[in-house]
């Protein structure tokens, strides 16, 4: 579904991505891990069109997308969430999800409202439909971001540390929600996360970045015992 080839990105004299390559198969949940500053979010920004790579290519379903604008990439079928949630705080939860439907131009207002309402119900936010997004809890705002992303009918979702700031019970809820979304909608997921227990237990494969380079790519149990990964990031072969 997605093929990233030799992606490089520098900001002034600092090279953040140094020839990153990996592929994603349709229907999989792929983890993207690495220490702070490894280049993970910069890569997400390139995949979603916010940044343009200095060199390299990104193919989505066989077509180049690395020169497209964010709205064009969204219309192709890639949606994302953010590590720091970005709801439209003064708009209601329903209005926030409605924003996601506008990537689909040929929909009636009634269809948009029906779709947004169904997604709020799916993610347990139906009772907050008319509440301002800035007034709900962090876990609810993360659920709202997922609903807004799903409203664009993506085939690939980029999740950026969706578990950050959540307590253990909320982490359980969020990981179950991610698995449920994959199962119900058939979406492929690329997921940045620092919570190793969650990422190791809920992904099909893991890509590891360090200092802008890919240092490992494989099944979770293989990555967890990779000496290079342990030295660069995990620090131990066990994880919380």
């Amino acid at each position: 579904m997605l093929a990233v080839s030799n992606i490089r990105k520098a900001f002034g004299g600092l090279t953040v991505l140094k020839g990153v390559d990996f592929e994603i198969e349709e229907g999989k949940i792929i983890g993207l891990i690495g220490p702070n500053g490894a280049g993970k979010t910069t890569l997400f920004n390139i995949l979603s069109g916010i940044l343009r790579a200095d060199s390299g290519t990104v193919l989505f379903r066989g077509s180049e997308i690395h020169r497209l604008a964010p709205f064009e990439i969204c219309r192709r079928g890639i949606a994302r969430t953010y590590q720091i949630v970005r709801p439209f705080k003064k708009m209601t939860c329903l209005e926030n999800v409605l924003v996601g439907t506008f990537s689909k131009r040929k929909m009636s207002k009634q269809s948009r409202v029906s779709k947004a309402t169904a997604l709020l119900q799916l993610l347990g936010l139906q009772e907050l439909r008319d509440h301002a997004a800035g007034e709900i809890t962090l876990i609810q705002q993360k659920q709202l971001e997922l609903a807004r992303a799903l409203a664009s009918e993506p085939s690939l979702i980029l999740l950026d540390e969706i578990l950050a700031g959540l307590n253990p019970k909320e982490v359980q809820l969020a990981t179950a929600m991610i698995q449920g979304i994959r199962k119900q909608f058939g979406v492929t997921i690329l997921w940045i996360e620092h919570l190793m227990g969650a990422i190791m237990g809920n992904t099909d494969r893991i890509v590891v970045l360090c200092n802008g380079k890919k240092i490992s790519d494989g099944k979770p149990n293989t990555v967890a015992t990779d000496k290079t990964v342990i030295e660069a990031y995990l620090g131990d072969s066990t994880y919380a």
Side-chain angles (χ1 to χ4, degrees), residues 7-23:
I7 288 294
R8 298 178 180 273
K9 182 65 181 177
F11 298 97
L14 177 64
T15 302
V16 179
L17 295 173
K18 305 170 183 176
V20 174
D21 300 277
F22 65 92
E23 295 182 352

Side-chain angles (χ1 to χ4, degrees), residues 94 112-124 184-185:
L94 177 65
R112 294 183 194 280
V113 172
S114 296
K115 183 178 187 64
T117 301
L119 286 169
L120 288 172
Q121 184 169 5
L122 174 69
L123 294 172
Q184 179 163 346
F185 293 94

Side-chain angles (χ1 to χ4, degrees), residues 93-239:
C93 291
L94 177 65
E95 290 167 338
N96 266 267
V97 181
L98 281 171
V99 169
T101 69
F102 282 92
S103 67
K104 303 298 179 185
R105 288 170 285 188
K106 296 180 180 179
M107 285 182 71
S108 67
K109 181 179 178 180
Q110 183 178 356
S111 295
R112 294 183 194 280
V113 172
S114 296
K115 183 178 187 64
T117 301
L119 286 169
L120 288 172
Q121 184 169 5
L122 174 69
L123 294 172
L125 299 173
Q126 64 272 24
E127 293 181 3
L128 300 173
R129 165 189 164 122
D130 297 318
H131 286 62
E135 298 174 356
I136 62 178
T137 66
L138 178 61
I139 179 64
Q140 289 167 342
Q141 288 183 351
K142 287 177 180 278
Q143 291 171 304
L144 184 63
E145 275 218 341
L146 263 179
R148 190 172 62 195
L150 287 168
S152 67
E153 298 181 4
S155 49
L156 172 64
I157 293 184
L158 312 176
L159 300 181
D160 194 349
E161 293 196 46
I162 197 165
L163 305 183
L166 303 186
N167 63 42
K169 185 175 181 180
E170 290 170 336
V171 166
Q172 267 191 323
L173 174 65
T175 52
M177 186 170 58
I178 291 166
Q179 291 286 1
I181 286 169
R182 193 254 295 260
K183 183 177 181 181
Q184 179 163 346
F185 293 94
V187 296
T188 305
I189 297 171
L190 180 60
W191 178 11
I192 294 175
E193 194 53 66
H194 281 293
L195 196 58
M196 288 298 97
I199 205 79
M200 293 290 177
N202 290 280
T203 55
D204 300 297
R205 205 177 92 240
I206 294 176
V207 176
V208 187
L209 298 184
C210 186
N211 294 322
K213 296 181 179 180
K214 185 180 77 173
I215 62 170
S216 187
D217 183 347
K219 293 186 178 297
N221 58 347
T222 302
V223 169
T225 56
D226 186 324
K227 290 183 179 179
T228 305
V229 177
I230 293 168
E231 291 172 4
Y233 182 43
L234 297 179
D236 194 346
S237 59
T238 59
Y239 42 86

Side-chain angles (χ1 to χ4, degrees), residues 19-33:
V20 174
D21 300 277
F22 65 92
E23 295 182 352
I24 296 178
E25 296 175 344
E26 191 160 1
K28 302 294 186 181
I29 298 179
I30 308 299
L32 182 62
I33 69 171

